[in-house]
Amino acid sequence: MIKNNNLGFGEFKSQYPKYFEIVNELANHYFMQENLETIYLSIDEDELNELFESSRESNTGLEYLVKNCMELLDISNSSGNFYKNLINLFNSWKEEESDDPCPAIPFVSLFITVATKMGEDDDIDWRNYYEPLYDSMNLSTFGISRQKSMKYFTNTFSNSADDPSHIFKEVSDWINKSYPKATNTFIPSDNRRHQSWILNQALINSKDLNLLSTFFKYTRMHPGIDYDKNQIFLEFQKFLNTHPIKAKSFSKGLRSYIGVDEFKEKITEILKQKFTDWDGKELTIDGFKRIELLHKLQFDFNTKNISKISAEFEIDAIEDFNLDEFSIVSPTGDITIEVWNDETSSKCYVDKIEDIYFDSFTWKILEETKKVKVATYDKKIMVFEYLISEQVTLQSQSWREVSSNQPLDHREVYTIVCDISEIDTLKNYLKNNASYREDNIVEYSLVDNTKKVGVFRDVKLFSNREKATESEYLSIFNIIEKDSSRLEITGGLKIDNRNYLANELPSLLIPQEYIGDENQITLSVNDESDTFYIDSDNPRLEPTQYLKNHIKKNSDAVYMNTVKIVFNSKDEFYDIIEYNIITPQSINSMSASTLAYNLNIDYEANILWESHYPTLLVGESRNTGYISGGHIRLPDNINPQHKSEHEFSTNDDRLIFIGRKSIDFYEIEVEKKENTWLSNFQKSKKLYLIHPIDEMHSNDFEITPENYQPFPFLKKDIHINDISWKVVFNDSLMFNKIKIFQLGKKAPKRFNEIDSNNISLQTSWAESLVNINKLIENEEITVVDEFDYELWNKYVEKANELLNE
C-alpha cells in the first residue's frame, strides 16, 4: 500500500471506493428520512447486517465495517497515531468544501456499534468502553497497546486533549450546518468527555427508539402534552422493571444503562425528545408504523367450538390509502391474507384466518410500499367484547378482541380466550377478581383444527380487582381507570383524543401515592393553585370540583378552552394532564340520529341508565344497545323471544297495558319518584344529538347539546305476551285526555299459580279494569278505532270475580 499523506479528497475516493460506498450507505441511513426531526446516530449489528447485505459477502455487517475502516487506516504502514489517514481524509474533505457526506461517519458508526455491545461479555466490565473497542478493531495484531489505543482515540476524536483533531466536534458542526431544522443529539455530556460523544448515542439504539412508541402508548400518554421529563423517565424505568416480556425487546445495553446514575440525565433527555416528536402512532422494532390486528371469533357454545376466525384493523395511520381490496403477507411470504377496506370507516376486514395468533406476528401490505406493518402482540390471554352486528344465532355469537391498551370496564361482560398453557393461571386470577360461568370453563376447538384453546364465558371484572403479578400475560387486566401511578381523566363525552364536550367534562382520578396528609392534594389548574380533599375510598375529583374557579356564576358553562392540570411532586417530577373543551353550537335539530348515552344491560335484561358515562357511538355500534330516534333496542342475545314494542308520546303522563292473563299488567308512570327508565329520560338535562352535517357528507357528524326531550314519540318493550288493552293518560291535551286501544282479541284467562308477587299483579290487573270501565261509563275516556265491547265486558267480569274472592 502506497503512502497517502498528501492525497486529495478525490484521490481518497478513487483509492478507497468501498469505504465511500459505506459513507453513502450510512449517510442515507441517518439523514435521508422524510420530515427528519431528531438526528440520533444510533446503530447496531443487525442494522449493519441489513445495510451491507449486498456487499458484505460472508462477513457480518460489523466485520465488513471494521475491515474497510482498517484498510483506510493502513496501520501496518503507519507510525505514531494510526488514525492519521482518517485525519488527512477529513482535512482534505473540509479544504475542498465538498457537498459529500462527512467521511468520518463510518468510524462514528463503528464506535457506536461497539458501545451497544458493551455488557454482552460477562468477562468485561460493561462500563469499560476502550476494552471492547480495542478488541473489535483487532489492534493487538498490530502490536498496539491498550494505552496507545486510548491515547490516539482521545487525540483524534475528542476535544479535550493536547493537540486534538476534534473530529467528533467537526462531525457535530457538519450536522448542524447541513440539517439546521433537525435537533442534533451528537454532542458530549459532562461525564466521560472523551467517550460520551459515542456512549450518548449508544444508550438507546434505533430499535429502542422505535419501541418507545409502544411504551408511550402502553402508559396512555397523549401526544402534545408537555409531560415533565423526569416523569417520563420514572415511568419508563418502572415499565422495564415490571414488564419483563416487553422489556426484552429493548437492548441489553439500555436495560443496564437505565440504572446508572451518570447516564440517567441523558436517557431522560432522549425520552423527552422522542416523546415531543411522537405522533401517537406505534412503530415496529424496525421502524414501520404498527397497526394492531384484532381477532374476531364466532363461538358455537353448544358444540364448544370456535366456528369462525376473522379479524379487523384500523388504517388511519396510513396516509393516502385507498385500496378497496388488498393482501397482507408475512415476512417469509408463507402466509398471505386477503383484506377489504370499508370505505365508510377507517377499518379493514379479514373475512377468514386459520388460527388465533397468541404470539407476536407481522404482515406487510403487499400492494403498497408504505412503511406499515399489521401485527399481533405476544398475548397468551385475550379479552373479547360482544359484537351485536355479527350475531348469527343465540348459540353462535361473535366477539371482537379488545386492543392491547384498552381499559377494561367492570360494567361490561367479556369472553376471555387463552392459550392452553395459561388456563390455570387465568382461572386463579379470575377466582378472586371477577364473576363468570365456572361450569363453562372448557377447552374449545378451532375451525377444522385439532388445536384447543381455553374459553371463559360471561366474565364481569370487579372494579376493585387486584393488580396481576403472577404472569405478565395477566397485565391486560391491570389497565383500568383507577389503576394508575399518574393522574388520569375518565368519563365525560370525548369526541376524539383530547377533546371533550363542555357539558360533559371528565373526572380526575388521583393515584393513592399522590394523596398527602389529611387526605389532601394540591393541584395547579391553568396556573391557579388549589388544595382539594380526596376521599381515599374514591380518589377522584369531579369537574365541578377541580374547575370550581373556572365556571361562570349561576351557570354550568365553563369559560375556558383548554384545561391543564399539574401536580408537583416536589423532588421528582411534574405530572400533567391536559385536554380541550369543545362547546358546539346549540340547534333544535329534530333529525338527530343518535342520542349519545350508553345503556348497560344486566343478565336479566334490565336497563341500567349510565347517564354519567355517555358514549359517542359511530359505525356499527350505532345500530343497537342505546337509544336512537327514541327507540330502545337491546342486544339480540338477551332480547325476549316475543318482544312487543309500543309507541307513545313523550308528553304522556301514564300508560297502562293489560294482558290476557290476570297477572299480565304493566304500568308506566312518568311522575313517579322512583328511578324509572322514562322518568330518567324525561328529566335528563344532558342530551347530545349526533347527526350528519349535510347530505353530501354523511360520514361527518355534528354534535349538538339539547336541554329538552327532542323526540315526540318513544318506543318501549312491554314484557307481556298477549296485550289486550292499552290506556294512555295525557293531561296536557285539550281533548281526549284519556284513550283506550284494543290490541288483542283473546278472552281473559285466570292465572292460578299465585305467589305474593303474582297476587299484587293480579290485584292491579283487576282494579285497573274496574276503574277504567267506570271512566268509559262516565264518558271520560275516548275509545280509539274498533273496540269489542263484548270482549271488554268479559274482562271486567273476570276482574270483579277476582276482587270479590
Side-chain angles (χ1 to χ4, degrees), residues 388-399:
I388 300 292
S389 60
E390 298 186 16
Q391 180 195 347
V392 179
T393 67
L394 280 173
Q395 289 300 325
S396 185
Q397 299 175 6
S398 291
W399 297 70

Side-chain angles (χ1 to χ4, degrees), residues 583-600:
T583 306
Q585 293 181 351
S586 178
I587 59 172
N588 297 335
S589 171
M590 299 305 291
S591 61
S593 60
T594 303
L595 178 65
Y597 270 107
N598 191 32
L599 294 177
N600 193 21

Side-chain angles (χ1 to χ4, degrees), residues 709-728:
Q709 169 52 261
F711 305 116
F713 295 97
L714 298 173
K715 278 189 179 180
K716 184 168 175 59
D717 262 354
I718 307 301
H719 298 287
I720 298 175
N721 288 333
D722 296 308
I723 300 177
S724 300
W725 317 97
K726 177 174 80 170
V727 185
V728 180

Side-chain angles (χ1 to χ4, degrees), residues 137 144 199 277 332 478 483 800:
M137 294 179 70
I144 298 173
L199 293 179
D277 297 341
T332 56
N478 293 343
D483 177 47
N800 283 317

Side-chain angles (χ1 to χ4, degrees), residues 325-387:
E325 296 180 1
F326 58 100
S327 297
I328 53 177
V329 60
S330 59
T332 56
D334 57 339
I335 299 179
T336 301
I337 299 175
E338 299 296 322
V339 182
W340 58 276
N341 179 16
D342 179 6
E343 293 182 353
T344 65
S345 71
S346 60
K347 289 186 183 295
C348 286
Y349 297 95
V350 178
D351 287 332
K352 186 178 181 182
I353 52 179
E354 301 299 326
D355 202 354
I356 299 175
Y357 290 90
F358 288 110
D359 298 314
S360 180
F361 201 85
T362 60
W363 296 264
K364 289 184 178 180
I365 296 178
L366 191 60
E367 287 81 356
E368 292 278 315
T369 58
K370 300 178 185 298
K371 290 199 69 175
V372 175
K373 285 186 178 178
V374 180
T376 58
Y377 291 85
D378 182 10
K379 288 196 292 188
K380 298 294 190 294
I381 297 173
M382 299 179 182
V383 180
F384 288 78
E385 55 191 358
Y386 183 61
L387 272 177

Side-chain angles (χ1 to χ4, degrees), residues 56 69 81 112 123 130 141 224 293 332 353 473 482 498 503 558 721 741:
R56 60 186 173 84
C69 285
N81 186 349
I112 291 170
D123 295 331
Y130 294 112
T141 62
L293 181 136
T332 56
I353 52 179
Y473 295 121
K482 292 184 180 180
R498 288 166 55 202
N503 289 10
V558 181
N721 288 333
F741 302 80

Side-chain angles (χ1 to χ4, degrees), residues 202-240:
L203 294 175
I204 302 181
N205 65 32
S206 59
K207 293 178 181 177
D208 296 330
L209 293 173
N210 292 332
L211 291 173
L212 285 178
S213 60
T214 297
F215 155 67
F216 296 145
K217 196 163 187 177
Y218 186 85
T219 51
R220 286 178 284 167
M221 293 183 178
H222 298 294
I225 294 181
D226 187 22
Y227 293 111
D228 182 75
K229 64 179 183 179
N230 294 311
Q231 177 193 7
I232 300 175
F233 176 84
L234 291 173
E235 287 282 351
F236 185 56
Q237 194 174 45
K238 175 183 174 183
F239 177 81
L240 293 180

